[in-house]
Amino acid sequence: MTAPTISSLRVNGATLHYEVRGRGPLVLLIPGGTGGAASFDGVADDLAADGYTVVGYDPRGMSRSPLDDPDAEQHVAEHADDALRILDLLSPDEPALVFGASSGAIVALHLLTAHPERIARVVTHEPPVVEVLPDAAEHRALLARVQDTFRTQGLMPAMAVFAAGLKKDGDTTEGDPKDGDPKDGDTAEPEPGHGLPPRAAARAEQTMSDLPYFVGRIVPGFMSYAPDIRRLEGLSDRLVIAGGQDARGELPYRSAAFLAERLGTELQHFPGGHVGLTTHPAEFGGLLRKVFRSQGLRRRTGDPALSPSPGRR
């Protein structure tokens, strides 16, 4: 694995840790759940070898990106502004390619709707935008139960309630709270314990450390987010909505599939389930590179739909 160049960026209310590999058009990787820049270690080097500048970062409040106010509420728009700040710093004159996983995919959706001139193509893998679903009220009730359980019983019982709510329809097996957040590409690792290599052990420990912030701040703030469907309809030519081929029926997959249907686009299936980025990094990364390369081909053939709009040049 190539060692990245590590830097920090001061943003409103936080300091972001970010990592850069390679040279070329910018690819911004937005992690989900308790994942940070390290959650892309399995795909970042190959993307950089394909001729991209690849940037991953720890979202505000996670891992190495501390908040000025540890108790601050979290909002999708502010996280999207953080991503924009990174784009403006590292690719001020050219639109970027963006990938977002899970809650990071929600950030990517908002970034596209708010600043489409900064995006050449965005791939959103299973954004849990439950507000688009016809049974959204049931999922609002789930989120309320998670928060109530977190307040009254603690983290692990809340995680068990959350995990059960994300399962496939008809799956009544009990979730194991030690598995972390099943929505995240970086939290499906074991709880810190015996037999893990040092790097994996450090990631597992960080996952557990970040879970209270994720459950208490990210889950309620992000899963109540309602995307601007009308705005996305006009931008669907540069939006790829993806789902895990093994995740059919699970809540994040359903949200992604329904959003794709609403926008009249095809759902792109990626290897593995919701955490395919972690469980199938080679296959997942290969398909992601293929999607990004197809964007390059369209730009070289002069597809006007993918030309950046004026404004933030």
Side-chain angles (χ1 to χ4, degrees):
M1 185 179 68
T2 303
T5 299
I6 296 175
S7 301
S8 62
L9 175 64
R10 181 69 191 157
V11 295
N12 182 40
T15 301
L16 302 181
H17 168 100
Y18 69 94
E19 304 180 358
V20 182
R21 295 174 172 88
R23 294 187 63 182
L26 187 70
V27 172
L28 180 65
L29 305 174
I30 307 178
T34 59
S39 63
F40 296 109
D41 283 351
V43 301
D45 279 344
D46 287 340
L47 279 166
D50 258 15
Y52 298 108
T53 296
V54 182
V55 182
Y57 67 103
D58 296 348
R60 61 170 56 222
M62 295 286 185
S63 189
R64 298 157 292 185
S65 292
L67 296 169
D68 294 351
D69 176 7
D71 297 323
E73 293 186 4
Q74 297 304 301
H75 304 282
V76 172
E78 191 165 38
H79 282 248
D81 190 66
D82 291 345
L84 177 67
R85 291 286 308 279
I86 295 175
L87 296 185
D88 286 347
L89 176 68
L90 299 177
S91 184
D93 299 318
E94 294 294 334
L97 301 167
V98 176
F99 171 80
S102 191
S103 55
I106 296 177
V107 174
L109 286 173
H110 190 84
L111 180 63
L112 176 63
T113 57
H115 303 282
E117 74 282 357
R118 302 298 286 119
I119 307 297
R121 173 166 285 191
V122 57
V123 180
T124 60
H125 187 265
E126 295 198 359
V129 282
V130 297
E131 287 296 321
V132 306
L133 294 171
D135 56 350
E138 295 180 17
H139 306 303
R140 294 187 204 114
L142 166 66
L143 297 179
R145 289 197 304 275
V146 170
Q147 295 308 302
D148 182 66
T149 304
F150 186 44
R151 286 190 298 269
T152 59
Q153 300 180 45
L155 176 63
M156 291 296 102
M159 283 304 303
V161 173
F162 187 52
L166 302 181
K167 290 183 180 295
K168 297 179 181 180
D169 294 339
D171 186 348
T172 59
T173 58
E174 291 293 329
D176 184 353
K178 294 193 300 297
D179 289 339
D181 169 31
K183 293 192 327 78
D184 171 49
D186 192 43
T187 59
E189 299 195 24
E191 185 179 10
H194 301 293
L196 287 175
R199 183 175 178 85
R203 287 177 63 187
E205 183 176 353
Q206 188 62 58
T207 288
M208 296 304 295
S209 176
D210 286 336
L211 271 177
Y213 172 79
F214 174 75
V215 174
R217 241 60 83 61
I218 299 298
V219 168
F222 281 52
M223 291 186 68
S224 60
Y225 174 79
D228 187 336
I229 299 295
R230 181 170 297 181
R231 180 81 164 143
L232 288 172
E233 285 175 342
L235 299 166
S236 60
D237 57 341
R238 68 190 79 180
L239 171 62
V240 177
I241 302 173
Q245 62 188 15
D246 299 332
R248 300 170 194 268
E250 296 175 1
L251 182 56
Y253 179 96
R254 288 184 56 224
S255 300
F258 200 83
L259 178 61
E261 182 180 347
R262 288 281 302 272
L263 298 178
T265 63
E266 183 178 354
L267 185 71
Q268 172 76 62
H269 283 94
F270 272 64
H274 189 71
V275 295
L277 177 67
T278 296
T279 60
H280 298 70
E283 300 92 336
F284 196 104
L287 182 53
L288 183 59
R289 296 196 307 275
K290 181 179 179 181
V291 172
F292 284 159
R293 283 197 297 268
S294 69
Q295 163 68 18
L297 288 173
R298 292 179 69 183
R299 286 183 63 81
R300 286 196 295 272
T301 56
D303 185 340
L306 296 174
S307 299
S309 60
R312 294 185 61 91
R313 296 290 302 192

